[in-house]
Amino acid sequence: MSEEKKSLNFIEQIIEEDLSKGLDKSKLRFRFPPEPNGYLHIGHAASICLNFGLGQSYNAPVNLRFDDTNPTKEEQEYVDAIKQDIKWLGFEWAEELYSSDYFQQLYDWAILLIKKNKAYVDDQSSDEIAVQKGTPTQVGSNSPFRDRSVEENLALFEKMKNGNFEEGSHVLRAKIDMSSTNMLMRDPIIYRVLKKSHHRTGNDWNIYPMYDWTHGESDYIEQISHSICTLEFKNHRELYNWFLDQVYDDNNLRPKQREFARRNLSYTVMSKRKLLQLVEEGLVNGWDDPRMPTISGLRRRGYTPKSIRDFSETAGIAKRDNVTDIALLEFHIKSELNKITPRVMAVLDPVKVVITNYPENKEEILIAENNPEDENAGTREIPFSREIYIEKEDFREQANKKFFRLKLDKEVRLKNAYIIKANSVVKDENGEINEIHCTYDKDSKSGSGSEASKRKVKGTIHWVSIEHAVQAEVRLYDRLFTDEAPDSHKDKDFKEFINPYSLKIIKNAYVEPSLKSAKIGERFQFQRLGYFNVDDDSKTEHLVFNRTVPLRDSWAKMEQKK
Ligand code: ATP
Ligand code: MG
């Protein structure tokens, strides 16, 4: 048992403790509360995996609650995208709920606060209110409107609601303590006038509740046992509890807010506001651009739900802020794709090879294993002929002993095929190599069992038969930012660190003919090049592949060095 306990994260430990103190297990209930003001990112995945993971471990319901109290930034498009992403990650919510469904209840409770003399309407501007707030080292001062009568407050709040006041002219504030050491307790605003149409409630409301007032009370309405949020809300916990105190009835469960560290990832930014800037300024091609750290970007890039869940699990839940290396995410997608993807051959930067002793009109069909990691993956046919493409960088006229690819007068094995030897090159007027002339050892066919087939040569390279190859577009991605923490620089905007080479488009790549019928979303290992998937832009007559991740494993190397 103690073994098992050790692996619990600190949130699970808190829950275990609550259960041991008598909390009924059937009362456990969680929620994931996104604001529909953008697409979900890999940071949200941490919260999703945590909350829905708790739901699974304790067999407890997890609500999806849209925290939609700010009509200026929220849209139905985002609601739809968020739902799609959570489902794709493999999770099911118990109920789909909206904070806006509670607008009436929140309003009624605000009236209650006024009646208890715990809230008042303030006629001051936000600047005046800010000045009176004081500073962390200096207490605030009371608003001149703080001691209004209950009747006057009720009348003014009603007018706010009815749209009789302009935006910014009046707010409703909780009457707490202008000298509290916690600045958030200094009479926080609970309602503001906002004459905006809401994506669900239309023009029903001229006032909208603030986050703090909404969040805790929504947790209470839904009877969420553990309301898990990120560390920046730690200071809000006192206010969360104060608001709960105002409505709590001890026949009900009292929600508990607990905080964990946000997931940060190196070489990217993780804030919807910043990601929106990239989209709006055209610095990326939309929210699902494969370079984006969004769930939809990762999906389009070829990531699997499992790789993201595994990453979230390994990266863990922390109490302190930290940055997770993006190589860990890459490690997880590589380990999974290694197990599940068929191997194929593609040449991204082709140079022509002519096998001079291979008969001119001959073609033969070679048989290759689809996936050596999976014995059930079967085999496929690859055509071979006299003229093939190999990668330019796999050939050098001269090279030192460490170059295990093709060079003049030396041999190399063509993957799944024969051993060839380079004899001469044909160059154009600029000295560029147009053709490499080779001869092949006709007895060296891979898997034929002959003596020659077992001959050891140092290198193996990939290739495609020119006559049979299919032309394709291949998109190679690099990090979107050149800096490890692009938004950590005080004097520089994060966009200054955008990597100008984050996308490289290759129009004239060639893939083996078995890929002709590849469908959008299908994943492959292009041997020696990396893992690729078929992009959403792909068409039968114009295949488009994304490189999900190269083969090189930087994470494993880093771990070894430690
Ligand atoms: P952003 O700054 O990207 O807009 P947010 O916190 O405002 O993030 P919400 O939609 O309010 O985004 O977040 C929904 C839930 O996801 C919240 O509980 C929030 O704490 C959590 N969350 C958001 N970003 C991260 C992150 N980087 N790591 C872990 N959890 C996160
Ligand atoms: Mg937010």
Side-chain angles (χ1 to χ4, degrees):
M1 186 191 102
S2 62
E3 276 291 307
E4 210 172 90
K5 286 256 152 148
K6 263 184 215 153
S7 66
L8 295 182
N9 66 43
F10 79 95
I11 297 284
E12 290 166 326
Q13 284 168 12
I14 290 168
I15 295 171
E16 288 296 322
E17 202 182 313
D18 290 340
L19 291 173
S20 73
K21 282 186 190 153
L23 173 66
D24 185 348
K25 195 162 172 251
S26 69
K27 293 265 157 73
L28 288 178
R29 188 180 290 268
F30 308 96
R31 91 285 173 261
F32 173 65
E35 184 179 353
N37 61 348
Y39 282 57
L40 296 180
H41 50 62
I42 184 82
H44 290 111
S47 175
I48 293 171
C49 292
L50 173 62
N51 282 295
F52 285 92
L54 289 170
Q56 287 170 345
S57 330
Y58 291 102
N59 198 15
V62 185
N63 290 340
L64 168 59
R65 182 199 313 142
F66 289 101
D67 218 330
D68 58 347
T69 54
N70 186 355
T72 55
K73 293 194 225 150
E74 294 156 5
E75 288 173 28
Q76 186 61 37
E77 175 198 346
Y78 299 138
V79 169
D80 297 338
I82 289 169
K83 285 163 63 179
Q84 188 195 357
D85 287 349
I86 299 172
K87 276 192 215 151
W88 179 77
L89 281 173
F91 297 111
E92 262 176 64
W93 51 88
E95 291 185 79
E96 176 184 334
L97 300 165
Y98 295 80
S99 294
S100 56
D101 293 339
Y102 312 138
F103 280 170
Q104 186 61 47
Q105 173 70 77
L106 292 167
Y107 176 77
D108 294 343
W109 274 335
I111 303 258
L112 196 76
L113 282 194
I114 296 175
K115 286 184 176 161
K116 289 206 279 182
N117 200 13
K118 288 189 173 177
Y120 61 96
V121 173
D122 197 331
D123 304 359
Q124 300 180 99
S125 69
S126 56
D127 288 345
E128 286 165 320
I129 292 174
V131 170
Q132 286 163 7
K133 265 239 145 133
T135 66
T137 53
Q138 198 178 13
V139 295
S141 52
N142 287 352
S143 159
F145 300 97
R146 200 174 198 261
D147 293 320
R148 273 184 159 140
S149 70
V150 167
E151 290 67 35
E152 197 184 352
N153 279 317
L154 286 174
L156 288 168
F157 190 46
E158 172 99 27
K159 282 187 154 182
M160 279 173 68
K161 176 182 184 255
N162 291 341
N164 301 339
F165 293 133
E166 290 316 304
E167 286 183 12
S169 66
H170 293 76
V171 289
L172 183 71
R173 296 176 71 180
K175 197 186 279 191
I176 309 182
D177 180 5
M178 290 305 290
S179 59
S180 171
T181 48
N182 182 347
M183 298 273 292
L184 293 166
M185 300 298 278
R186 296 183 187 172
D187 291 9
I189 296 171
I190 35 185
Y191 271 95
R192 71 246 202 249
V193 175
L194 214 52
K195 296 187 171 173
K196 295 272 170 6
S197 176
H198 184 278
H199 74 116
R200 300 189 85 235
T201 58
N203 295 319
D204 290 355
W205 294 89
N206 296 300
I207 52 173
Y208 289 94
M210 301 299 285
Y211 172 86
D212 286 304
W213 173 242
T214 311
H215 204 88
E217 311 313 82
S218 301
D219 286 341
Y220 183 60
I221 294 168
E222 291 175 23
Q223 289 287 281
I224 300 302
S225 61
H226 296 82
S227 174
I228 301 159
C229 59
T230 35
L231 276 183
E232 70 272 23
F233 291 103
K234 199 164 188 120
N235 278 341
H236 295 241
R237 201 203 279 182
E238 192 180 356
L239 182 55
Y240 180 97
N241 286 329
W242 191 91
F243 282 142
L244 274 183
D245 286 338
Q246 308 314 311
V247 299
Y248 177 62
D249 159 349
D250 59 12
N251 291 318
N252 289 326
L253 174 142
R254 189 184 163 98
K256 190 178 219 178
Q257 175 185 302
R258 287 297 178 269
E259 310 83 15
F260 73 103
R262 292 176 84 81
R263 168 90 65 244
N264 298 306
L265 203 57
S266 61
Y267 293 99
T268 192
V269 293
M270 203 83 91
S271 135
K272 281 177 281 182
R273 190 175 54 79
K274 289 177 187 149
L275 297 174
L276 178 65
Q277 282 181 47
L278 298 177
V279 173
E280 285 187 333
E281 294 174 29
L283 296 164
V284 295
N285 303 315
W287 284 99
D288 70 344
D289 185 303
R291 292 166 294 179
M292 291 279 269
T294 51
I295 304 297
S296 50
L298 290 165
R299 171 169 62 234
R300 185 158 178 186
R301 174 89 171 245
Y303 275 75
T304 60
K306 182 173 186 299
S307 66
I308 296 176
R309 292 197 307 263
D310 288 351
F311 163 72
S312 296
E313 176 76 34
T314 328
I317 295 302
K319 285 186 184 174
R320 299 245 182 96
D321 281 324
N322 62 80
V323 179
T324 306
D325 196 306
I326 198 165
L328 180 62
L329 181 61
E330 293 170 354
F331 165 78
H332 279 287
I333 186 61
K334 268 185 281 205
S335 2
E336 199 193 355
L337 294 178
N338 179 41
K339 290 185 210 123
I340 63 171
T341 53
R343 274 56 174 166
V344 293
M345 291 196 285
V347 175
L348 304 189
D349 186 18
V351 61
K352 183 173 172 180
V353 168
V354 181
I355 301 164
T356 52
N357 61 339
Y358 195 89
E360 292 232 0
N361 294 320
K362 181 171 171 181
E363 74 172 55
E364 64 187 299
I365 300 296
L366 306 172
I367 304 295
E369 235 182 329
N370 280 333
N371 185 353
E373 300 288 322
D374 175 3
E375 57 186 32
N376 299 318
T379 58
R380 71 185 189 290
E381 300 182 336
I382 314 173
F384 184 78
S385 64
R386 180 181 156 95
E387 295 185 346
I388 62 173
Y389 285 134
I390 65 167
E391 301 286 350
K392 265 189 196 138
E393 64 164 31
D394 280 340
F395 174 74
R396 292 208 195 135
E397 289 180 79
Q398 275 155 8
N400 67 21
K401 280 191 189 134
K402 287 195 180 131
F403 186 79
F404 294 136
R405 292 166 274 172
L406 188 62
K407 53 189 165 187
L408 285 178
D409 296 323
K410 294 284 186 238
E411 288 189 320
V412 80
R413 173 170 289 285
L414 295 174
K415 181 90 193 154
N416 301 312
Y418 297 95
I419 294 172
I420 58 169
K421 181 177 177 184
N423 303 310
S424 61
V425 292
V426 180
K427 294 185 179 172
D428 66 15
E429 62 273 22
N430 302 320
E432 288 277 331
I433 296 173
N434 263 351
E435 287 180 7
I436 304 162
H437 286 191
C438 297
T439 44
Y440 85 123
D441 174 351
K442 67 176 173 28
D443 297 322
S444 65
K445 187 154 109 180
S446 297
S448 67
S450 70
E451 280 309 307
S453 76
K454 291 177 195 151
R455 208 145 61 69
K456 288 264 176 291
V457 290
K458 275 276 163 58
T460 300
I461 62 173
H462 59 275
W463 55 275
V464 292
S465 161
I466 294 181
E467 195 193 325
H468 306 91
V470 180
Q471 193 176 341
E473 177 178 328
V474 172
R475 299 176 184 168
L476 302 179
Y477 303 101
D478 197 352
R479 295 181 169 150
L480 188 50
F481 295 94
T482 53
D483 190 87
E484 244 179 283
D487 53 3
S488 68
H489 303 266
K490 284 208 182 72
D491 48 341
K492 283 191 174 141
D493 186 74
F494 74 100
K495 284 171 291 183
E496 288 182 38
F497 297 98
I498 287 205
N499 174 7
Y501 307 108
S502 60
L503 169 63
K504 182 176 174 196
I505 299 179
I506 298 174
K507 292 279 184 192
N508 296 317
Y510 290 90
V511 301
E512 64 170 66
S514 72
L515 288 178
K516 206 175 275 175
S517 54
K519 301 277 175 310
I520 288 175
E522 264 190 277
R523 304 179 175 93
F524 302 92
Q525 186 196 92
F526 287 5
Q527 286 179 311
R528 298 179 65 229
L529 298 175
Y531 295 100
F532 292 72
N533 78 331
V534 184
D535 187 72
D536 294 358
D537 288 343
S538 193
K539 301 202 177 57
T540 323
E541 63 283 3
H542 181 77
L543 292 174
V544 182
F545 294 91
N546 297 308
R547 181 158 69 189
T548 309
V549 64
L551 285 176
R552 192 174 36 88
D553 195 348
S554 40
W555 176 256
K557 271 189 213 133
M558 275 170 39
E559 287 292 281
Q560 274 164 17
K561 265 194 233 151
K562 276 184 192 166

